């Protein structure tokens, strides 16, 4: 067995995959794993004080997105929130069986859409252009009076590209369809105001905002009906049953508060670090270029193609130097499937396989980025020196 790696040893540049738990969040949740174990639904004080903690977390979460506390439903993860919003919409009106999503949604939405299509629901995937931007004309054509819900992410987890959510909500509403956005990658990076955005449903995930795994939020606009699809029961206003995951919900509330407070820091600390990493790679390593709209994207994310390199090979070399990042491909049954996001943008399979995503957080430092740059440069040089012969240039997207 390989030896355990501790957080002190690593340079963690994979914060769109998951994040470390903020020590302040951990401190807030621990009493609810030890002393305060009462059931929040119990009437005695030992239970009701836990209910009070839940309601505080609901208020903190609502404040993060400018919602009312009763519009916050705690779930088990972002995937559940995504699935619940779409499934609810389909149950409300049998004359609206159609679902519209983008071609670059997270698998949490894509896999559900595939399952719905197998059940006979018409599903439309709206394409993106070579910068990863959504084709709004195609979206307008896709949404009809049979569309139950349009579900389009706000920020892409692979490229960080941002979609114009308010405009998309208007397009959905013009045909009487509901609108859900998967905003899992957004908190702490951009301000979220559900009222200004005009969304009906919005999904969040705890482990993307320095909270533990196993808790999410579904914002459900109180002016819209919501139909529980899987987990019936009395909790969460009868919309999502199951005794609440109290400690994690308390953690989510605290993490939401910290995420709201760190928005300026994201611009003044994280964005410059991302830019330092990105420009360092582009300047120092020939044959590198950015995937996705370089302007309109999250401040913490960069997705870079390294011409002639297998991303998985580069990841292994980085791992040997304790650097964590993600590749533009996923290993499925022994073969490397190129990322559906990059291929939807028109990237060739080679380019997608040569791409790596680096995603930062408020816990990264300038020294880490300097070290990472040296390691990335040396690793790319090593992989290129091992190539039997110079490969032809990788095709550019679009
Ligand atoms: N949506 C997006 C955009 C994500 O990046 C992720 C996680 O990677 C999810 C949904 C799923 O969230 P969870 O892991 O909480 O189910």
């Amino acid at each position: 067995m390989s030896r355990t790696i501790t957080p002190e040893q690593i340079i963690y540049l994979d914060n769109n995959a998951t994040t470390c738990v903020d020590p302040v969040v951990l401190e807030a949740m621990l009493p609810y794993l030890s002393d305060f174990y009462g059931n929040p639904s119990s009437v005695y004080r030992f239970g009701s004080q836990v209910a009070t903690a839940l309601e505080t977390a609901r208020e903190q979460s609502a404040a993060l997105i400018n919602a009312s506390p009763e519009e916050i439903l705690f779930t088990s993860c972002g995937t559940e929130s995504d699935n619940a919003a779409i499934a609810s919409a389909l149950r409300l009106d049998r004359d609206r069986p159609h679902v519209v999503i983008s071609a670059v949604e997270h698998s949490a939405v894509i896999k559900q859409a595939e399952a719905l299509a197998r059940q006979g629901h018409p599903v439309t995937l709206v394409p993106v252009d070579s910068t990863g931007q959504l084709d709004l004309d195609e979206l307008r054509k896709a949404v009809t009076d049979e569309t139950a819900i349009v579900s389009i992410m706000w920020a892409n987890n692979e490229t960080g590209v941002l979609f114009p959510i308010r405009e998309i909500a208007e397009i959905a509403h013009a045909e009487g369809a509901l609108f859900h956005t998967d905003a899992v990658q957004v908190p702490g990076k951009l301000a979220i105001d559900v009222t200004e955005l005009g969304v009906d449903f919005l999904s969040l995930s705890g482990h993307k905002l320095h909270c533990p795994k196993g808790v999410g939020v579904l914002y459900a606009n109180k002016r819209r009906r919501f139909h529980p699809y899987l987990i019936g029961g009395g909790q969460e206003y009868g919309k999502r049953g199951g005794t609440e995951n109290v400690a994690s919900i308390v953690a989510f509330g605290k993490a939401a508060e910290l995420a709201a407070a760190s928005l300026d820091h994201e611009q003044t600390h994280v964005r410059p670090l991302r830019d330092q990493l990105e420009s360092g790679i582009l300047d120092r390593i020939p044959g590198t270029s950015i995937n996705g709209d370089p302007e309109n994207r999250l401040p913490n994310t960069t997705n870079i193609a390294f011409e002639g390199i297998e991303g998985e090979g580069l990841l292994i070399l980085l791992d040997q130097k304790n650097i964590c990042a993600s590749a533009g491909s996923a290993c499925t049954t022994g073969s490397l499937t190129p990322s559906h996001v990059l291929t939807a943008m028109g990237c060739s399979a080679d380019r997608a396989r040569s791409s790596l995503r680096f995603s930062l957080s408020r816990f990264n430092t300038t020294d880490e980025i300097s070290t990472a740059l040296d390691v990335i440069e040396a690793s790319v040089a090593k992989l290129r020196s091992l190539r039997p012969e110079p490969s032809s240039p990788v095709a550019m997207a679009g």
Side-chain angles (χ1 to χ4, degrees), residues 132-328:
Q133 263 310 335
L134 196 70
D135 188 328
L136 291 182
D137 287 332
E138 287 298 320
L139 176 67
R140 277 187 202 94
K141 279 189 231 157
V143 186
T144 71
D145 60 4
E146 294 195 356
T147 307
I149 188 161
V150 175
S151 179
I152 306 253
M153 68 201 324
W154 187 347
N156 188 274
N157 47 300
E158 292 193 26
T159 59
V161 170
L162 301 169
F163 288 158
I165 291 307
R166 196 163 55 167
E167 219 174 326
I168 297 171
E170 280 167 12
I171 294 171
H173 291 155
E175 289 295 335
L178 293 168
F179 179 59
H180 163 253
T181 188
D182 174 336
V184 160
Q185 293 294 344
V186 181
K189 302 169 191 165
L190 302 175
I192 306 177
D193 183 333
V194 286
T195 312
E196 195 193 298
L197 291 171
V199 299
D200 302 310
F201 300 99
L202 178 143
S203 298
L204 301 174
S205 168
H207 73 102
K208 312 287 183 178
L209 61 144
H210 301 290
C211 169
K213 296 158 190 67
V215 62
V217 155
L218 176 64
Y219 156 78
N221 185 320
K222 59 187 169 208
R223 287 191 298 279
R224 303 294 192 185
R225 282 190 298 145
F226 174 81
H227 205 306
Y229 84 113
L230 184 61
I231 311 179
Q235 293 86 354
E236 298 295 298
Y237 313 105
K239 292 177 176 165
R240 200 282 187 180
T243 298
E244 296 87 345
N245 179 358
V246 174
S248 295
I249 291 173
V250 168
F252 195 104
K254 181 49 80 179
E257 200 176 80
L258 297 178
S262 71
L263 282 175
D264 285 346
H265 189 67
E266 188 76 14
Q267 296 300 333
T268 57
H269 175 78
V270 180
R271 182 185 287 276
L273 284 187
R274 188 275 311 268
D275 292 346
Q276 181 194 343
L277 177 68
E278 184 175 87
S279 55
I281 291 174
L282 298 180
D283 291 348
R284 284 162 60 169
I285 309 177
T288 50
S289 51
I290 301 172
N291 291 313
D293 183 348
E295 302 305 324
N296 213 354
R297 65 184 163 147
L298 290 172
N300 78 319
T301 307
T302 180
N303 191 311
I304 297 183
F306 295 82
E307 194 179 300
I309 296 283
E310 277 290 345
E312 292 282 320
L314 182 51
L315 273 192
I316 291 167
L317 291 192
L318 297 187
D319 184 29
Q320 285 170 3
K321 300 286 181 190
N322 299 337
I323 295 175
C324 305
S326 272

Side-chain angles (χ1 to χ4, degrees), residues 12 18 26 56 92 116 126 141 148 170 172 181 186 208 280 292 339 344:
Y12 189 74
T18 197
L26 183 64
T56 301
L92 293 177
L116 289 168
V126 180
K141 279 189 231 157
E170 280 167 12
T181 188
V186 181
K208 312 287 183 178
S339 139

